[in-house]
Amino acid sequence: MGYEVRIGDRLASVKLIKRDGQYATIEVDGQQYDIDIAMVENGVYSILHNGRSFNIEIIPGDGPKNYFVNSYVNSHEVEIIDAQSRYMMSRKSADDHSADKIISTPMPGRVVKIPVTEGEPVAKGATVITISAMKMESEYKSPIDGVIKKIHVAEGDNINANQPLIEIE
Amino acid sequence: MIKKVLIANRGEIAVRVIRSCREMGILSVAVYSDSDRRAKHVRYADEAYHIGPSPSRESYLNGDKIIETALKCGADAIHPGYGFLSENAEFARKCLAAGLIFIGPDPNAITTMGDKITARQTMIAAGVPVVPGTQQKVVDADAVRKIVSEIGLPIIIKASAGGGGKGMRLVRKESDLISALKMAQSEALSSFGDDTVYIEKYVEHPHHIEFQILADKFGNTVHLFERECSIQRRHQKMIEETPSPFITPELRQQMGEAAVKAAQAVEYFGAGTIEFLVDANRNFYFLEMNTRLQVEHPITERVTGIDLVKEQIRIASNQPLSFKQEEVFQHGHAIECRVSAEDPFNGFMPSPGLIRHISEPNGLGIRTDGYVYEGYEIPIYYDPMITKLISWGRTREEAITRMKRALYEYKITGVKTSIRFLERIMDNADFRNGIYNTHFIDEHMDELMSEAPRGGQIFEDMAVIATYFDYITKMEKVAMSDFTVTQSCDNWKTYGLKKNLQRI
């Protein structure tokens, strides 16, 4: 069973060579690792490799194949790329040109500032709306170079989670 | 002595206050909003009462409801914690009028210190240095120009009723002066309903250093040394330490004396904090007074050994301080890291949600003040801070390495937290050398955000392996469950099936 795994900017190919309970041989980009792997706590793996001990925490991300992974020295955004997500990816990039981007927030809050107006061109990475939630102000940025198509809310409005706020095309 | 305290707060500070009540044999009463029924302070207190819907305005800020609850349950005192109603003079007055003890200063002290211009005037009269600037409110452009000609640029225009960076404008160029004044006034009016502003010289590369004071109702005022709070992001403190690596013993003594004078100037009693700005040449200026317990109070407790909440309760019970200034010492070094449910690598976006797993650090010199537990869902209505980690060491270096070790041990899964970001600060060379001011995070942002691989490829490969392993295990489980005919939760059915199997 082989997959590609995206970790930060790197795309690594991973393959299970053999497995016997907690003992496994896994190949990452051609490098074979004989490991002893155990899920010791919910979301925490202990890996022993040549006597070295690695403690890896796995936090589920936004999707079923997205993870936020912590090792002793670093933290990574990790995504499993299987046939389905490869298909989705190819469709997405084809759709990208036609589809509108809709900005929304994962939690309820209040609109602090909208520095853009409808019809205004925006660059990728430009702030399009500032939301205050949990006593913090967060800036949401445009994911694409585009034009503000529609603004659904006004400054000072209270908003619900996942409510469409701004459409960019 | 107070016998029963209602804690008009939530989160870690409510738990913190209840701990001291327990040790003193005082009954504790928690209050909670709709979304806090399962919160730790409710579980931990002796009594708990519902006070309203989730938004703070309708629950933790509803002073009348809280006072009514206190009277009904027979509490004799209210501890406001920090935030919410803790610096609300009106609420303090209402408590007193209802015959309840407000665990905090006299309402007049809150009022005086709450208005920035009045506080400045009071400090100048008491001989405490303040940042050069105006003593009166400024209204028109001419007055502003006159002041600028006296103190020079850059200046900062601030709202008298302000706080949290609102209604504040920094002016570096003469030509920006008038527009900045107008903007500060309109922002002050819309945020605080009062367009009164004043002007201060802008202190470049300042340190934010505060002094903890304790005063009883018999005129005894002591300070419990400083806390260096310069590691901030957007005026929000992230890391505090004591002693400050920046100030000298002489400066410490001068600032301590000034802090005591500042508190005495408003006949202060209770626990309070005098915040100072210290410039690069070690000149210090009064910034403001916080008339309550601070978030970062544990580091002072750790180096002095004094329980600040207990002292607050004793002072409120009309007892004199049990120690003198010369009996207070700083022993070793303490650091606090504030851990928030937020994603530091994605614009510090708040990350509320379900705590799937938590394991807390332990061992010599470590304290955690938190309130979340496994299976707890962090509500979206309140502050994202979920826990504070406090480390102590005999030296600053030991405190830092211990903090790093403890941050590594701290495992919280389910929500994103600032732990990784805090670890990187502990690793930063300038932080380790104690060379930093309030611009630290801005100046080091690129470095703190960089995904520079550390520890070599093998750590990254192991992260890939663990993720891959987790994924294929999940897929196997899904595949297995496809073969199960019925997924029944009925224990009797399962029992019946097993019985049948045994018969075969």
Side-chain angles (χ1 to χ4, degrees):
Chain A
M1 247 191 301
Y3 288 107
E4 287 193 310
V5 177
R6 190 196 303 285
I7 179 158
D9 296 333
R10 175 180 165 205
L11 200 61
S13 66
V14 194
K15 211 161 45 189
L16 182 68
I17 307 293
K18 67 169 193 260
R19 182 178 168 189
D20 179 12
Q22 70 195 77
Y23 301 101
T25 303
I26 294 177
E27 197 181 278
V28 183
D29 279 343
Q31 169 80 45
Q32 274 200 13
Y33 293 101
D34 294 314
I35 54 163
D36 171 348
I37 184 166
M39 199 213 244
V40 285
E41 296 178 70
N42 200 358
V44 183
Y45 283 90
S46 166
I47 302 177
L48 300 180
H49 173 254
N50 281 344
R52 280 184 81 179
S53 169
F54 299 88
N55 199 63
I56 313 279
E57 302 166 46
I58 294 183
I59 304 156
D62 304 327
K65 291 165 209 154
N66 293 77
Y67 298 86
F68 197 73
V69 180
N70 295 332
S71 70
Y72 178 76
V73 292
N74 232 320
S75 47
H76 313 269
E77 302 242 17
V78 182
E79 189 189 356
I80 304 275
I81 316 271
D82 59 6
Q84 189 197 2
S85 39
R86 249 196 301 269
Y87 173 67
M88 297 296 282
M89 259 181 352
S90 65
R91 267 186 46 149
K92 215 172 161 192
S93 55
D95 281 353
D96 253 3
H97 305 287
S98 55
D100 299 341
K101 296 285 174 191
I102 298 170
I103 309 279
S104 63
T105 70
M107 63 262 161
R110 196 174 55 81
V111 180
V112 178
K113 206 169 167 181
I114 304 175
V116 292
T117 51
E118 284 181 17
E120 190 181 322
V122 284
K124 184 179 173 182
T127 300
V128 293
I129 192 166
T130 306
I131 303 293
S132 156
M134 292 183 89
K135 284 180 68 190
M136 308 278 287
E137 287 189 1
S138 310
E139 291 171 348
Y140 288 75
K141 300 181 192 313
S142 172
I144 50 164
D145 287 321
V147 175
I148 304 291
K149 188 183 174 195
K150 185 131 188 65
I151 298 176
H152 294 276
V153 287
E155 289 180 8
D157 281 3
N158 288 314
I159 51 161
N160 297 320
N162 303 319
Q163 172 187 346
L165 305 174
I166 290 183
E167 287 176 41
I168 305 168
E169 65 176 1
Chain B
M1 193 68 189
I2 290 168
K3 289 189 181 64
K4 192 173 188 179
V5 175
L6 179 144
I7 297 100
N9 216 304
R10 64 177 299 283
E12 68 87 17
I13 192 61
V15 176
R16 160 74 192 88
V17 172
I18 299 170
R19 286 202 169 114
S20 286
C21 290
R22 277 271 150 83
E23 291 175 21
M24 296 173 89
I26 295 171
L27 290 171
S28 53
V29 181
V31 291
Y32 63 94
S33 68
D34 284 348
S35 57
D36 270 346
R37 169 61 188 88
R38 305 164 75 87
K40 190 162 169 186
H41 72 284
V42 174
R43 297 169 51 191
Y44 190 48
D46 292 305
E47 298 173 29
Y49 302 99
H50 178 253
I51 51 164
S54 302
S56 314
R57 235 172 307 118
E58 296 164 56
S59 48
Y60 298 106
L61 287 172
N62 185 349
D64 292 338
K65 178 77 187 176
I66 289 170
I67 290 172
E68 185 196 313
T69 308
L71 293 173
K72 220 183 262 174
C73 75
D76 44 11
I78 292 185
H79 193 301
Y82 54 68
F84 296 130
L85 295 164
S86 62
E87 288 181 292
N88 184 321
E90 179 72 23
F91 175 69
R93 279 195 192 98
K94 280 185 180 168
C95 288
L96 301 184
L100 294 163
I101 298 169
F102 177 75
I103 302 180
D106 186 86
N108 293 327
I110 304 179
T111 309
T112 308
M113 287 304 191
D115 182 78
K116 301 291 167 74
I117 295 181
T118 317
R120 269 174 77 82
Q121 287 166 346
T122 312
M123 289 306 111
I124 292 167
V128 177
V130 300
V131 182
T134 47
Q135 276 196 59
Q136 270 80 41
K137 60 180 187 173
V138 285
V139 198
D140 58 89
D142 289 341
V144 177
R145 283 208 193 86
K146 187 166 167 286
I147 297 147
V148 170
S149 70
E150 282 165 23
I151 62 172
L153 291 169
I155 56 151
I156 194 155
I157 304 174
K158 292 183 173 179
S160 188
K166 288 222 174 67
M168 230 151 68
R169 276 286 177 285
L170 172 65
V171 185
R172 287 189 181 277
K173 282 187 296 195
E174 183 106 37
S175 54
D176 296 341
L177 213 53
I178 306 307
S179 66
L181 175 70
K182 291 219 174 84
M183 279 168 81
Q185 281 174 328
S186 76
E187 211 171 294
L189 187 65
S190 68
S191 298
F192 312 108
D194 175 2
D195 71 349
T196 310
V197 295
Y198 66 104
I199 289 176
E200 268 181 14
K201 175 91 181 155
Y202 178 66
V203 178
E204 303 265 9
H205 303 291
H207 279 250
H208 179 133
I209 298 174
E210 59 186 29
F211 270 71
Q212 175 69 52
I213 65 111
L214 274 178
D216 63 20
K217 294 179 182 173
F218 306 94
N220 304 307
T221 307
V222 299
H223 72 81
L224 273 62
F225 305 101
E226 82 279 15
R227 291 185 288 258
E228 168 73 70
C229 308
S230 298
I231 305 283
Q232 307 183 348
R233 186 186 158 266
R234 295 194 179 168
H235 303 285
Q236 296 277 346
K237 296 167 190 168
M238 255 184 154
I239 296 175
E240 303 92 355
E241 63 176 315
T242 184
S244 163
F246 182 65
I247 67 175
T248 60
E250 296 75 44
L251 185 60
R252 178 171 295 117
Q253 195 177 344
Q254 283 172 27
M255 290 176 75
E257 282 163 12
V260 169
K261 252 198 284 188
Q264 284 169 337
V266 288
E267 292 174 12
Y268 196 84
F269 58 78
T273 297
I274 316 286
E275 295 191 345
F276 293 103
L277 279 183
V278 184
D279 70 17
N281 300 315
R282 295 192 170 81
N283 298 305
F284 67 92
Y285 309 101
F286 170 83
L287 185 65
E288 62 177 24
M289 180 169 190
N290 294 311
T291 55
R292 53 169 167 88
L293 199 66
Q294 299 273 100
V295 175
E296 58 273 24
H297 75 277
I299 57 173
T300 297
E301 295 186 321
R302 195 61 187 81
V303 294
T304 61
I306 291 166
D307 183 328
L308 288 170
V309 174
K310 278 187 191 166
E311 293 303 324
Q312 282 188 303
I313 293 172
R314 285 197 193 107
I315 292 164
S317 306
N318 295 320
Q319 291 187 1
L321 285 179
S322 60
F323 51 85
K324 295 190 179 68
Q325 184 70 64
E326 54 272 25
E327 291 166 343
V328 187
F329 297 98
Q330 285 172 298
H331 179 59
H333 197 99
I335 303 175
E336 174 185 275
C337 282
R338 300 187 184 189
V339 177
S340 290
E342 64 188 12
D343 183 359
F345 306 108
N346 184 19
F348 292 86
M349 206 75 79
S351 169
L354 185 74
I355 304 279
R356 279 160 42 107
H357 171 80
I358 184 166
S359 70
E360 301 215 303
N362 217 320
L364 180 62
I366 291 298
R367 162 177 174 182
T368 60
D369 270 26
Y371 76 101
V372 300
Y373 53 88
E374 223 162 286
Y376 176 72
E377 190 162 357
I378 301 168
I380 53 171
Y381 298 96
Y382 315 107
D383 196 284
M385 190 182 80
I386 46 175
T387 180
K388 306 183 307 204
L389 180 55
I390 300 105
S391 78
W392 176 88
R394 281 178 306 169
T395 61
R396 183 169 187 268
E397 201 196 339
E398 190 180 37
I400 292 173
T401 49
R402 189 164 279 161
M403 178 59 85
K404 225 198 128 197
R405 183 270 289 173
L407 285 167
Y408 167 65
E409 276 178 27
Y410 221 138
K411 308 284 182 210
I412 301 174
T413 46
V415 300
K416 289 176 179 172
T417 71
S418 51
I419 289 176
R420 290 278 127 168
F421 188 74
L422 295 163
E423 268 183 341
R424 290 182 185 191
I425 295 177
M426 290 299 133
D427 272 339
N428 181 277
D430 284 346
F431 179 78
R432 286 194 164 236
N433 293 325
I435 302 165
Y436 65 83
N437 56 46
T438 49
H439 302 309
F440 174 85
I441 289 185
D442 284 339
E443 284 169 2
H444 293 82
M445 203 44 136
D446 289 346
E447 191 186 331
L448 294 171
M449 284 296 156
S450 80
E451 286 284 334
R454 273 173 285 185
Q457 170 107 11
I458 191 162
F459 282 93
E460 203 175 283
D461 283 358
M462 289 301 156
V464 169
I465 288 173
T467 314
Y468 170 77
F469 195 82
D470 190 74
Y471 185 70
I472 57 171
T473 313
K474 243 193 311 192
M475 296 308 282
E476 268 169 25
K477 266 191 204 144
V478 173
M480 292 286 279
S481 66
D482 281 348
F483 292 110
T484 323
V485 184
T486 46
Q487 279 264 303
S488 166
C489 295
D490 192 329
N491 286 337
W492 284 110
K493 256 187 199 164
T494 320
Y495 176 77
L497 280 170
K498 275 195 185 144
K499 270 279 180 224
N500 286 341
L501 279 172
Q502 276 169 1
R503 231 173 275 156
I504 298 162

